[in-house]
């Protein structure tokens, strides 16, 4: 319950102290005077609580919309339509032009009765700005990554259609192989964007099945050697026995593929893959996989950003989304992933997945 003189709450029963709330809370009584002004509200508005308590709402919070109109005059919570119950969140301006996110709730004793309290929530715009910047960066990255392959595809197909007879079979094959590679690049980017959307919205679906992670590692190494990598560059250590792992095999392939590609492309020397039993969260049985290279490693100051969107190492290439997706997949399985420096100085990625067995097998 609210303390009308001090602007705080007694923490009794199910009551919550307004000063514990992360957002600003302002409450005005039936006369429009401030009876609660919590610590977050004072911080956001730069108005001391003692100065705000007892003031009319429009004086304590002299808000304007982005067109310069006075917000409380425009909305008129006490004298406006009796069927209104509040105002949805929107950007408003405090004195000095500082933006703040404001929403309001009108408390009435019965649906069309007079307003007894106006409850106002205040939030800073920093989090929204970060989200908007992240979305803008994503759009810019996608546009950049799509432009190059699509320009190539368009150029080669237009050339082939216009001058098919002028090219030899070898030249035609080279152009079509380039178009195919660029189409695959676009397909991979779209798949990454879909994965990010599912991870961010919590809709990443897992189809758990028994997974032989040692065999999965071998498949990926064979793919790298088939594409020209020296087989001696890879060292695999599998410590038996391993617990039975139930996971999404396609997602496990995605994790291993990304980590091995990073080690091959950005690392140097021998790429070591170690698989062993490990303790997962809450001491649950799990499987740990470590991928280490002997390259220059990741600078200490960059390690905290490795799993964020658009992070790229010193070498350009890729969208910078792969490790963000890897982390999302590992965590969707209930696992953890870390990055550090290996014994040889290169990058070391380690993820641990809980066994994840169905209840009837436990």
């Amino acid at each position: 319950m609210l303390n009308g003189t001090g602007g705080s709450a007694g923490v009794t029963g199910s009551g919550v102290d307004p000063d514990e709330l992360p957002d600003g809370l302002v409450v005005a009584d039936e006369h429009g005077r401030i009876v609660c002004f919590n610590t977050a509200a004072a911080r956001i508005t730069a108005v001391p609580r003692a100065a705000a308590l007892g003031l009319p709402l429009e004086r304590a919070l002299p808000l304007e919309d982005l067109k310069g109109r006075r917000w409380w005059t425009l909305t008129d919570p006490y004298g406006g339509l009796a069927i209104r119950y509040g105002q949805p969140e929107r950007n408003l301006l405090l004195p000095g032009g500082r933006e703040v996110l404001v929403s309001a709730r009108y408390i009435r004793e019965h649906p069309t009765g007079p307003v007894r309290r106006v409850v106002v929530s205040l939030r800073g715009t920093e989090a929204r700005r970060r989200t908007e910047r992240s979305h803008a960066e994503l759009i810019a990255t996608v546009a950049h990554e799509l432009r190059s392959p699509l320009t190539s595809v368009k150029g080669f197909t237009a050339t082939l259609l216009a001058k098919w007879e002028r090219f030899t079979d070898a030249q035609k094959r080279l152009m079509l192989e380039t178009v195919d590679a660029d189409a695959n690049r676009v397909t991979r980017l779209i798949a990454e964007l879909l994965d990010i959307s599912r991870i961010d919205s919590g809709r990443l679906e897992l189809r758990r099945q028994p997974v032989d992670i040692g065999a999965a590692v071998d498949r990926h190494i064979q793919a790298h050697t088939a594409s020209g990598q020296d087989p001696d560059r890879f060292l695999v250590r599998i410590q038996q026995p391993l617990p039975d792992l139930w996971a999404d095999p396609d997602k496990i392939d995605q994790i291993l593929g990304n980590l091995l590609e990073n080690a091959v492309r950005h690392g140097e020397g021998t790429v070591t893959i170690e698989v062993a039993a490990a303790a997962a969260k809450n001491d649950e049985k799990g499987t740990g996989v470590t991928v280490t290279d002997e390259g220059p490693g990741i600078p200490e100051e960059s390690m905290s950003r490795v799993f964020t969107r658009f992070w790229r190492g010193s070498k350009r290439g890729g969208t910078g989304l792969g490790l963000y997706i890897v982390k999302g997949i590992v965590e969707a399985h209930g696992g953890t992933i870390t990055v550090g420096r290996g014994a040889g100085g290169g990058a070391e990625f380690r993820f641990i997945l809980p066994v994840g067995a169905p209840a009837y097998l436990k």
Side-chain angles (χ1 to χ4, degrees), residues 59 75 82 140 162-163 213 235 313 322:
R59 285 185 56 196
T75 57
K163 303 176 181 179
I213 198 154
L235 173 62

Side-chain angles (χ1 to χ4, degrees), residues 263-291:
V264 169
R265 180 187 296 179
H266 303 297
E268 297 172 6
T270 301
V271 176
T272 304
I273 303 97
E274 298 183 73
V275 183
K281 292 179 181 177
N282 303 319
D283 294 327
E284 185 179 356
K285 287 196 301 182
T287 299
V289 179
T290 306
V291 179

Side-chain angles (χ1 to χ4, degrees), residues 24-240:
L25 176 68
V26 180
V27 180
D29 62 15
E30 67 268 26
H31 304 297
R33 294 189 175 274
I34 303 295
V35 295
C36 175
F37 202 82
N38 74 347
T39 300
R43 172 178 52 79
I44 292 169
T45 63
V47 175
R49 175 187 298 173
L53 289 172
L55 284 180
L57 189 56
E58 64 271 15
R59 285 185 56 196
L61 290 177
L63 297 165
E64 295 182 352
D65 67 12
L66 301 183
K67 296 181 179 179
R69 297 175 295 185
R70 293 183 180 278
W71 181 239
W72 299 116
T73 302
L74 190 65
T75 57
D76 193 11
Y78 293 94
L81 292 173
I83 60 172
R84 288 188 307 178
Y85 60 88
Q87 296 290 335
E89 186 176 74
R90 63 179 298 169
N91 279 41
L92 296 175
L93 299 176
L94 290 165
R98 288 179 296 124
E99 282 193 48
V100 63
L101 297 169
V102 181
S103 58
R105 180 74 183 271
Y106 306 156
I107 309 300
R108 306 175 188 271
E109 290 182 355
H110 50 85
T112 59
V115 173
R116 295 303 182 189
R117 287 195 308 280
V118 173
V119 181
V120 181
S121 172
L122 305 173
R123 291 197 298 134
T125 59
E126 294 82 5
R128 178 171 290 187
R129 294 293 185 201
R130 285 195 297 270
T131 300
E132 290 173 349
R133 281 197 299 270
S134 177
H135 289 166
E137 288 174 358
L138 181 60
I139 292 170
T141 299
V142 170
H144 175 76
E145 293 294 330
L146 286 175
R147 182 183 297 116
S148 178
L150 289 179
T151 299
S152 170
V153 168
K154 177 63 178 174
F156 280 124
T157 53
T159 301
L160 286 171
L161 288 171
K163 303 176 181 179
W164 180 267
E165 297 81 5
R166 299 187 186 181
F167 297 106
T168 65
D169 287 346
Q171 290 171 324
K172 292 174 185 175
R173 183 176 184 82
L174 177 60
M175 290 185 185
L176 289 173
E177 286 175 346
T178 304
V179 168
D180 183 62
D182 285 332
N184 287 337
R185 181 176 164 189
V186 172
T187 301
R188 285 196 301 271
L189 177 59
I190 292 172
E192 287 181 339
L193 293 174
L194 290 173
D195 284 335
I196 285 177
S197 173
R198 295 185 185 110
I199 289 168
D200 288 349
S201 62
R203 294 185 293 106
L204 188 67
E205 294 184 2
L206 300 178
R207 295 177 174 84
R208 293 183 185 268
Q209 303 173 30
V211 173
D212 184 340
I213 198 154
V217 170
D218 286 340
R219 285 197 308 274
H220 283 278
I221 291 176
Q222 288 171 13
H224 280 286
T225 55
S227 64
Q229 290 293 328
D230 185 346
D232 292 336
R233 189 176 179 189
F234 300 95
L235 173 62
V236 180
R237 296 177 180 150
I238 299 179
Q239 298 181 20
Q240 300 289 355

